Amino acid sequence: MTLLERNGQHPASPASVPADATAMVKVAAALGIPTVWDRLAAQEPHCGYCSLGVSCRNCSMGPCRIDPFGEGPQLGVCGADADLIVARNLARAIAVGSASHSDHGRDILEVFEATARGETSGYRIADEGKLLALATEWGIQTEGRPVGEVGVELAEAMFEDFGSRKTALGFTSRVPQPRRALWDRLQITPRGIDRESVEMLHRTHMGVDSDYTNMLLHALRTSLSDGWGGSMIATELSDVMFGTPKPVMSQVNLGTLKADAVNIALHGHNPLLSDVIVQAAEDPELIALAKSKGANGINLVGLCCTGNELMMRRGVQMAGNHLMQELVMMTGALEGMVVDYQCIMPSIVDVAKCFHTQVITTADKAKIPGAVHISFDPANGLAIGREIVRLSIEAFPNRVAARVNIPSEPVPMMAGFSVESILAALGGTPKPLVDAIASGAIRGAVGIVGCSNPKVPLDTSSVGLAQRLIENDILVIVTGCAAVANGKAGQMLPESAAKAGPGLRAVCEALGIPPVLHMGSCVDNTRILVLAAALAKYLGVDIHQLPLAGAAPEWYSEKAIAIGCYVVASGITTVLGVQPPIFGSPKVVDLLANGLEGAVGAKFAIEPDPEQAAVVIRKHIEAKRQGLGLPFIEESQIQAAEPVHA
Ligand code: BF8
Ligand code: SF4
């Protein structure tokens, strides 16, 4: 399958691949520059054993593989069967995903502590109120004390959550009591952020945990240490340092690049460096330097979750999501791509060589051969930010005007929906939302999260699913790369309420909000947990009783697996659009798709077709409504919409 065919319209989605992506894919093809779609085609067909999850190379008695047809070996050299091998591989992926988010959280925590001590440059406590509220939540005395001192004590308490001497993480105090009790009964209350990931790795060593159910229970605990631990610390402290998001207007797609400006893309996940680059780009000296090189100023755009962090708090425009990181360079108008870590394809350096783009790595733990490395140091944040902007400006004269091709006009979108700003929009209490759900004006809420994956026609599943949900009066909240897809599709403006069903439309119009709310980056999925917990506590029920669901229609990463697991373990059933490598073990599949429901009140479903995923989710939400004694729609009445392009 060629990349353009793959990138054609999704047969089952009301959405199609965005025009900016298809235009740049054509440029890549014309120039002979390979992209992620070409490399996927070169890998296909994928190894069947790996796709089913039944290959293991955890030790040097192997590698081993189990014959899924039952004719060849059914045990690895050590005696591990398909169930154990599949569970071990999945558990390792969850540990990696949790570790990635949590290490990001620790990086933020370290800079927060240094900032509280007054030892950084370019950082401050932007939201003192949130810092004090967090300190109070963590049992820290705030009255009559300097803010910095309170911050240092909060940082010390949070550092302890990374260790192994506690019985429950600090933020588990936010979990509704019945769920906390359930976790205790199942022995999956997260105790230490590092501890759970390390224990997960230990258990997957040859000859440790050989019971696949026991293994996967700990995988849930590991994921909870991410959701209610590392990621939550990342979100909350980023708000303290860079401001708690409020509704803000911005723009999205490759049209955010400017043909006459020095364009710099900020890519990755951690807002620590990108925030100081935003400050540096406003420096009059650097703007003058850009003008002296013939540019009309400096234009910053975001990519992936760094982009989400900047859009949520500063309204910085978004060039695109994960699969746009190569295509943004095809515009011929990108001077600098600044990256930190996670979801950064090593291929960007090869693509950059075909243009004048300067790729700058900044995290000592994430270098790419061929990129310029400028080591991030918070003590010198602002100076480093300036150096990076200067380097990008120096690349501007190398731009070839004839190759500049910015393929689209930007689409406006609204972002900035933190829990605080949602509650503010509701008048300070969840009551109006609860009332709208109770009356049936809003049937429920669904978090559409996660990535873009070249196996799915770009953006079509996230956008198609959101469209079907909002037109059926289901409020959609989005994070990560899904949010970029929905923004590009024009679903995230107050006027987009016109695309929603009558009940949701009326609520959105009354509040002046879009039917698809941007809650931030992937670590900010914790905002969804906090909101769900607040609703459950307000109603005096557990989270799994609420008419909520999660969806990751185009997920690709180990972080996304960790997110899916903590969402399910928190009581929210989640639909995956891409098949995880578990089908070599019918028992593991059954545990995730059925058995989990009995344990945590929520489960996974896998449904690649966004039309069908919408049906699965609507049935689930109506069943939850029925459980709460709210008016509900009979299951037999819930069907897929007629295909719009039939
Ligand atoms: O953390 S959504 S592709 S960029 S993993 Fe990556 Fe997936 Fe995008 Fe953000 Ni999340
Ligand atoms: Fe093979 Fe067992 Fe070693 Fe895995 S751990 S490679 S199944 S011997």
Side-chain angles (χ1 to χ4, degrees):
M1 186 187 278
T2 71
L3 72 180
L4 285 172
E5 280 164 1
R6 191 191 295 279
N7 227 12
Q9 198 164 53
H10 195 302
S13 174
S16 51
V17 174
D20 62 341
T22 40
M24 291 299 102
V25 162
K26 284 180 190 159
V27 170
L31 293 173
I33 302 173
T35 66
V36 66
W37 291 277
D38 301 294
R39 293 189 298 271
L40 172 59
Q43 287 289 341
E44 287 175 331
H46 284 294
C47 165
Y49 295 100
C50 293
S51 299
L52 293 171
V54 288
S55 50
C56 178
R57 50 181 173 75
N58 287 9
C59 84
S60 76
M61 294 193 287
C64 304
R65 51 195 188 174
I66 306 299
D67 181 355
F69 301 109
E71 286 160 15
Q74 294 301 296
L75 296 176
V77 176
C78 66
D81 61 11
D83 304 324
L84 180 56
I85 290 176
V86 166
R88 259 191 327 218
N89 290 338
L90 183 63
R92 282 196 169 197
I94 290 165
V96 173
S98 301
S100 305
H101 284 144
S102 297
D103 201 42
H104 164 168
R106 186 195 341 258
D107 287 343
I108 304 260
L109 177 54
E110 283 179 347
V111 176
F112 166 69
E113 188 199 23
T115 302
R117 290 185 191 280
E119 295 167 355
T120 54
S121 139
Y123 301 94
R124 64 191 184 98
I125 304 298
D127 190 340
E128 226 178 89
K130 181 145 186 172
L131 167 54
L132 296 178
L134 280 170
T136 305
E137 198 181 342
W138 281 62
I140 293 163
Q141 183 62 41
T142 59
E143 258 180 49
R145 298 179 70 190
V147 172
E149 196 180 298
V150 173
V152 170
E153 196 177 331
L154 177 64
E156 281 165 358
M158 287 178 164
F159 274 121
E160 284 188 14
D161 264 17
F162 281 87
S164 63
R165 307 272 317 250
K166 295 175 81 172
T167 52
L169 300 181
F171 279 128
T172 54
S173 62
R174 294 178 167 185
V175 179
Q177 198 280 328
R179 182 123 312 243
R180 271 290 276 114
L182 174 73
W183 290 351
D184 281 349
R185 277 201 304 283
L186 293 172
Q187 296 185 327
I188 60 168
T189 300
R191 301 157 296 181
I193 297 165
D194 290 342
R195 175 183 186 162
E196 307 308 356
S197 289
V198 169
E199 183 175 326
M200 189 78 267
L201 295 179
H202 176 196
R203 286 184 188 221
T204 64
H205 188 280
M206 200 301 275
V208 185
D209 199 349
S210 296
D211 176 331
Y212 75 92
T213 311
N214 200 43
M215 170 93 63
L216 291 177
L217 265 180
H218 186 74
L220 293 185
R221 186 178 223 173
T222 304
S223 71
L224 289 170
S225 78
D226 170 1
W228 296 89
S231 278
M232 201 168 277
I233 286 174
T235 295
E236 300 292 355
L237 293 185
S238 296
D239 283 357
V240 167
M241 280 196 290
F242 308 118
T244 304
K246 296 184 184 72
V248 62
M249 284 303 299
S250 188
Q251 305 194 99
V252 61
N253 79 24
L254 291 184
T256 55
L257 272 74
K258 291 195 179 133
D260 60 353
V262 172
N263 291 301
I264 307 174
L266 304 171
H267 177 20
H269 284 79
N270 194 317
L272 285 171
L273 179 66
S274 44
D275 201 86
V276 287
I277 292 179
V278 176
Q279 297 175 48
E282 288 160 1
D283 182 335
E285 237 177 73
L286 288 170
I287 295 173
L289 179 66
K291 291 197 167 153
S292 76
K293 305 278 179 195
N296 189 14
I298 304 165
N299 182 46
L300 297 184
V301 296
L303 280 170
C304 288
C305 283
T306 289
N308 283 321
E309 298 274 355
L310 295 172
M311 179 186 273
M312 288 285 287
R313 299 197 181 85
R314 290 173 170 271
V316 170
Q317 315 171 93
M318 174 72 84
N321 50 11
H322 179 50
L323 295 187
M324 300 301 289
Q325 61 185 292
E326 295 174 307
L327 301 186
V328 65
M329 288 194 241
M330 307 294 167
T331 61
L334 190 68
E335 276 61 50
M337 180 177 284
V338 188
V339 305
D340 45 62
Y341 42 56
Q342 299 169 13
C343 304
I344 295 149
M345 294 187 198
S347 65
I348 54 173
V349 170
D350 299 324
V351 179
K353 281 185 198 142
C354 304
F355 295 91
H356 67 297
T357 311
Q358 185 75 65
V359 177
I360 302 159
T361 53
T362 58
D364 290 347
K365 59 184 103 177
K367 295 187 178 179
I368 310 177
V372 173
H373 186 72
I374 299 181
S375 181
F376 170 65
D377 169 13
N380 253 325
L382 211 45
I384 290 169
R386 282 204 195 97
E387 190 185 342
I388 288 170
V389 173
R390 183 184 304 275
L391 209 62
S392 304
I393 294 171
E394 300 293 348
F396 185 81
N398 301 333
R399 188 193 276 192
V400 179
R403 290 179 75 183
V404 172
N405 177 358
I406 298 174
S408 52
E409 286 299 314
V411 175
M413 66 182 282
M414 188 182 245
F417 290 95
S418 56
V419 175
E420 290 86 343
S421 69
I422 290 175
L423 288 176
L426 294 169
T429 132
K431 186 170 186 303
L433 181 59
V434 169
D435 289 349
I437 292 174
S439 75
I442 295 180
R443 312 302 303 172
V446 174
I448 300 184
V449 307
C451 322
S452 35
N453 182 324
K455 294 176 177 173
V456 179
L458 180 62
D459 296 350
T460 56
S461 288
S462 296
V463 173
L465 176 60
Q467 179 53 39
R468 289 297 180 244
L469 295 177
I470 62 174
E471 67 196 26
N472 285 289
D473 292 320
I474 293 168
L475 178 68
V476 171
I477 46 196
V478 288
T479 57
C481 288
V484 183
N486 301 106
K488 280 168 78 167
Q491 294 173 325
M492 296 172 72
L493 287 165
E495 305 87 276
S496 319
K499 296 174 189 260
L504 177 60
R505 177 179 182 164
V507 172
C508 289
E509 285 176 351
L511 297 172
I513 60 169
V516 179
L517 300 179
H518 193 342
M519 291 193 83
S521 64
C522 281
V523 294
D524 292 342
N525 283 313
T526 60
R527 299 191 199 277
I528 298 178
L529 296 181
V530 171
L531 187 60
L535 288 174
K537 283 182 176 172
Y538 182 84
L539 288 166
V541 298
D542 194 357
I543 295 173
H544 74 280
Q545 294 173 270
L546 298 172
L548 304 177
E554 302 182 31
W555 76 275
Y556 94 90
S557 78
E558 291 167 310
K559 291 179 292 165
I561 305 182
I563 292 167
C565 281
Y566 73 63
V567 168
V568 168
S570 298
I572 302 173
T573 285
T574 295
V575 181
L576 305 176
V578 177
Q579 190 172 305
I582 57 172
F583 280 79
S585 167
K587 285 188 192 159
V588 169
V589 173
D590 184 57
L591 178 67
L592 299 179
N594 297 306
L596 271 183
E597 176 115 64
V600 296
K603 59 185 181 180
F604 284 100
I606 298 168
E607 180 48 72
D609 175 346
E611 293 286 354
Q612 290 307 321
V615 172
V616 169
I617 289 171
R618 289 176 58 209
K619 287 182 178 169
H620 168 77
I621 280 183
E622 295 301 330
K624 293 293 170 187
R625 293 184 62 85
Q626 184 177 10
L628 285 171
L630 301 176
F632 67 99
I633 300 171
E634 291 288 348
E635 194 176 317
S636 59
Q637 302 300 307
I638 300 173
Q639 270 136 25
E642 290 295 315
V644 285
H645 46 271

